[in-house]
Amino acid sequence: YLPYITILRQLCNAPELLCTDADPSSDSSTASLLRAAESVYETGRAHRALRESGKLAVLHTLLTSVRKHTDDRVIVVSNFTSTLDLLQRYCNEQRFPTLRLDGKTKQDARAKLVAQFNRNDGSDQEPFVFLLSSRSGGVGLNLIGANRLVLFDSDWNPATDRQAMARIHRDGQLKPCFIYRLLLVGSMDEKIYQRQITKIGLSDSLMSN
């Protein structure tokens, strides 16, 4: 069942992602589901995903408003590199100066990306969006150059999301911090968040005893 759960999680992010990571020509049960999805959906690019992904539409509204009315910068966190690819294409189309850090980023390059993002020189070309893999968020990253963070999708482990949220709330942060969690109601997103609440409640009850 795990492959199906992963597909449903990606579907919550954008229908386009259904056809990103698997080969529909294979004989697996997962591929059968993908072929059924392809029959009702034609793969598109970021501009189409903007119309068909509720999450991306909300993110678009948020980023354009922040860009227009403030000098704040934003971190967008996802569990999936395929989602980061989609978000990067979107940011390029919108001409948002963007940096990205994921599992493929070399260790020596990480410090340079963080320093570049945190540097505030007032230039129009300074990075506005930082795309971050949640799997790479536990290496002590200090991203105080941003004071807004968007959890594009949630992890089964609440500690992973809390770790990601802590990237902007660190010593040296001079602005109020805002966290946005994007959830698709009645979907796998909501199930994962409900499990997170249950785990946090269980953990708190055990610690209090």
Side-chain angles (χ1 to χ4, degrees):
Y1 294 102
L2 290 177
Y4 294 106
I5 291 175
T6 300
I7 289 173
L8 290 174
R9 292 179 67 190
Q10 291 181 313
L11 179 61
C12 292
N13 288 349
E16 175 181 335
L17 299 177
L18 283 176
C19 306
T20 301
D21 296 324
D23 180 9
S25 63
S26 69
D27 295 327
S28 68
S29 56
T30 303
S32 298
L33 181 59
L34 290 172
R35 285 195 293 270
E38 281 188 316
S39 67
V40 296
Y41 180 79
E42 181 182 353
T43 303
R45 304 301 285 177
H47 67 279
R48 176 162 184 169
L50 184 58
R51 299 194 304 269
E52 299 183 347
S53 167
K55 284 187 179 183
L56 193 56
V58 171
L59 181 67
H60 173 70
T61 301
L62 173 65
L63 292 181
T64 52
S65 178
V66 171
R67 184 72 165 169
K68 181 177 181 180
H69 300 292
T70 75
D71 60 353
D72 295 349
R73 286 179 282 174
V74 184
I75 297 173
V76 184
V77 182
S78 175
N79 287 276
F80 303 102
T81 55
S82 56
T83 298
L84 294 178
D85 291 340
L86 176 67
L87 294 173
Q88 190 165 22
R89 292 200 302 269
Y90 159 76
C91 289
N92 290 340
E93 288 189 354
Q94 300 298 318
R95 300 182 185 274
F96 293 149
T98 305
L99 296 177
R100 172 174 172 171
L101 191 155
D102 57 28
K104 296 180 180 179
T105 306
K106 295 182 179 179
Q107 191 64 38
D108 56 348
R110 296 186 178 203
K112 295 179 181 179
L113 288 173
V114 171
Q116 181 181 354
F117 187 72
N118 289 338
R119 185 169 56 246
N120 189 354
D121 56 12
S123 169
D124 291 338
Q125 295 305 312
E126 71 179 9
F128 169 57
V129 177
F130 195 102
L131 301 177
L132 177 66
S133 167
S134 61
R135 306 302 180 185
S136 304
V139 292
L141 297 178
N142 184 341
L143 294 169
I144 58 172
N147 63 310
R148 297 176 187 264
L149 185 141
V150 180
L151 289 171
F152 201 80
D153 45 61
S154 301
D155 192 88
W156 290 103
N157 185 357
T160 301
D161 286 353
R162 288 183 168 183
Q163 204 169 53
M165 290 187 280
R167 298 307 113 208
I168 63 174
H169 193 261
R170 288 186 173 269
D171 290 342
Q173 179 60 262
L174 302 177
K175 293 183 176 181
C177 293
F178 301 89
I179 306 293
Y180 308 89
R181 186 193 294 270
L182 303 185
L183 296 173
L184 210 59
V185 176
S187 70
M188 187 58 66
D189 266 352
E190 188 175 11
K191 292 293 185 183
I192 292 174
Y193 187 55
Q194 288 171 346
R195 293 291 179 89
Q196 281 198 11
I197 293 174
T198 301
K199 290 179 180 179
I200 292 172
L202 179 61
S203 175
D204 290 345
S205 64
L206 290 174
M207 292 298 292
S208 63
N209 292 331

